Amino acid sequence: MNETFIVSGVNIMDRGAETAPHQTLEDERRWTALCYVLGELDPAACAAWEARLAEDEECCNAVAEATRLALTLQQARPVAPVALTVPAATRPAERSVSTSRSGAGAAIAALLAAAACVVVLVQSPRPSAEDEQNVRLVALWRQHVVPSVATSADLDDDLALPGSEDRIPAWLLAAVSLEERQRTTGEAQEVWEEN
Amino acid sequence: MTGTTEEQGANASPVTGDVAVRLSSQEVERLYDEYGQELHAFLLGVTRNADLAQEALQSTFQRVLERGHTARSETVRGWLFRVAFHEAMAVRRKRQGQHQVLERYAGSGLPRLVQTTEDDLVQQETVTRLRELLGKLPADQREIVERRMHRDQTFAEIAAELNLPLGTVLTRMRLATQRLQRWLKPNE
């Protein structure tokens, strides 16, 4: 295997801080195949490996084996969770967090309270400008156009009467007469004021 | 497969070695029994997608029906791998053309090998054995395997999180998988 296969900028055949034992050609093929199956090869390395797959039966066999190993490893998840190493660089920070636990608790409580306020504000209905305008119109309608709003039941009753299509309901007459009286009074008032 | 040294002008059967026309269904079935699982594992590795692998496997055996009689009996395995690889590339290109994203291998949608009940039992034994072997790995190697295979972290992410050189992470994973493969196949 003359090609170099790269994972995130590192040649996967390079030895790290911990030396690997003597690697055979078969070992290298298996390792490259596993990196390929796991999707860890850089695009160029992936293309180079696939070019080998097109003509090398042993590389194909290595991919099949690596796939089986990867699948079996994923199924062989330990029953009990494995205790993972805490990176050395994060330990002091974690200790400092644990020693100021009361302060952190107060901060969390404050955050929760703020979050609750936000939730209340978001959930409470806030009339928009359009809503406010609608409310005003309804009020004006109630005040100046229809002195007493008839219910739908009242309307149904009126419309259900025999010959109701020819008869003006009493509530409508009252409403119209009231409106007329108000309008006349208003006009008279205006004339009186002009004079 | 056309125009390679694997083909014989005399159309010898890979199963019987006799001069033949197309393979019989029994011959194709025997090839499937012998190489189907291996090819499926290979196709899963290439496509990293269960659907694509299955599609490529079917296409591969369609080619076996059409042209299997042209392969030399002594190199039929290599011929099958090459056909499978070309079929995998074809289905991958087709799928990419449809803007469908391939699943990552280590994701939650883990593809599985097509297995019979008997195979499942063997696989269960292998899984149990591998779980035991994982426990025998040095702790630093076991941790890399755990993070990569069970927590879906990339090698680069593992290196960053553990404050280790990437080369060290790769070496530990490599040593671990070599050990596991040798333990699983002690006769090699």
Side-chain angles (χ1 to χ4, degrees), chain A residues 24 63 117 133 184 195:
Chain A
T24 65
V63 167
C117 289
Q133 188 181 3
T184 309
N195 294 333

PDB file of all heavy atoms in Angstrom, chain A residues 24 63 117 133 184 195:
ATOM      1  N   THR A  24       1.496  -5.454   9.579  1.00  0.00           N
ATOM      2  CA  THR A  24       1.591  -6.166   8.305  1.00  0.00           C
ATOM      3  C   THR A  24       0.755  -5.437   7.260  1.00  0.00           C
ATOM      4  O   THR A  24      -0.035  -4.539   7.597  1.00  0.00           O
ATOM      5  CB  THR A  24       1.057  -7.597   8.461  1.00  0.00           C
ATOM      6  OG1 THR A  24      -0.348  -7.519   8.757  1.00  0.00           O
ATOM      7  CG2 THR A  24       1.782  -8.342   9.571  1.00  0.00           C
ATOM      8  N   VAL A  63     -13.063  -4.578   3.491  1.00  0.00           N
ATOM      9  CA  VAL A  63     -14.240  -3.734   3.754  1.00  0.00           C
ATOM     10  C   VAL A  63     -15.379  -4.576   4.329  1.00  0.00           C
ATOM     11  O   VAL A  63     -16.051  -4.168   5.279  1.00  0.00           O
ATOM     12  CB  VAL A  63     -14.687  -3.007   2.466  1.00  0.00           C
ATOM     13  CG1 VAL A  63     -16.074  -2.381   2.636  1.00  0.00           C
ATOM     14  CG2 VAL A  63     -13.676  -1.934   2.097  1.00  0.00           C
ATOM     15  N   CYS A 117     -41.528  33.893  34.163  1.00  0.00           N
ATOM     16  CA  CYS A 117     -42.098  35.188  33.788  1.00  0.00           C
ATOM     17  C   CYS A 117     -42.279  35.279  32.274  1.00  0.00           C
ATOM     18  O   CYS A 117     -43.301  35.771  31.781  1.00  0.00           O
ATOM     19  CB  CYS A 117     -41.188  36.324  34.258  1.00  0.00           C
ATOM     20  SG  CYS A 117     -41.196  36.525  36.045  1.00  0.00           S
ATOM     21  N   GLN A 133     -58.545  48.263  17.751  1.00  0.00           N
ATOM     22  CA  GLN A 133     -59.431  49.004  16.846  1.00  0.00           C
ATOM     23  C   GLN A 133     -60.792  48.324  16.747  1.00  0.00           C
ATOM     24  O   GLN A 133     -61.836  48.991  16.759  1.00  0.00           O
ATOM     25  CB  GLN A 133     -58.777  49.077  15.464  1.00  0.00           C
ATOM     26  CG  GLN A 133     -59.537  50.003  14.522  1.00  0.00           C
ATOM     27  CD  GLN A 133     -58.891  50.048  13.155  1.00  0.00           C
ATOM     28  OE1 GLN A 133     -57.912  49.347  12.918  1.00  0.00           O
ATOM     29  NE2 GLN A 133     -59.427  50.862  12.270  1.00  0.00           N
ATOM     30  N   THR A 184     -81.757  63.266  15.140  1.00  0.00           N
ATOM     31  CA  THR A 184     -82.521  64.520  15.054  1.00  0.00           C
ATOM     32  C   THR A 184     -82.114  65.458  16.174  1.00  0.00           C
ATOM     33  O   THR A 184     -81.925  66.660  15.971  1.00  0.00           O
ATOM     34  CB  THR A 184     -84.037  64.211  15.153  1.00  0.00           C
ATOM     35  OG1 THR A 184     -84.344  63.193  14.196  1.00  0.00           O
ATOM     36  CG2 THR A 184     -84.867  65.444  14.845  1.00  0.00           C
ATOM     37  N   ASN A 195     -76.827  78.830  15.545  1.00  0.00           N
ATOM     38  CA  ASN A 195     -77.594  80.081  15.652  1.00  0.00           C
ATOM     39  C   ASN A 195     -77.235  80.818  16.930  1.00  0.00           C
ATOM     40  O   ASN A 195     -77.414  82.003  17.059  1.00  0.00           O
ATOM     41  CB  ASN A 195     -79.111  79.777  15.648  1.00  0.00           C
ATOM     42  CG  ASN A 195     -79.526  79.207  14.299  1.00  0.00           C
ATOM     43  OD1 ASN A 195     -78.888  79.500  13.284  1.00  0.00           O
ATOM     44  ND2 ASN A 195     -80.548  78.372  14.317  1.00  0.00           N
TER      45      ASN A 195
END
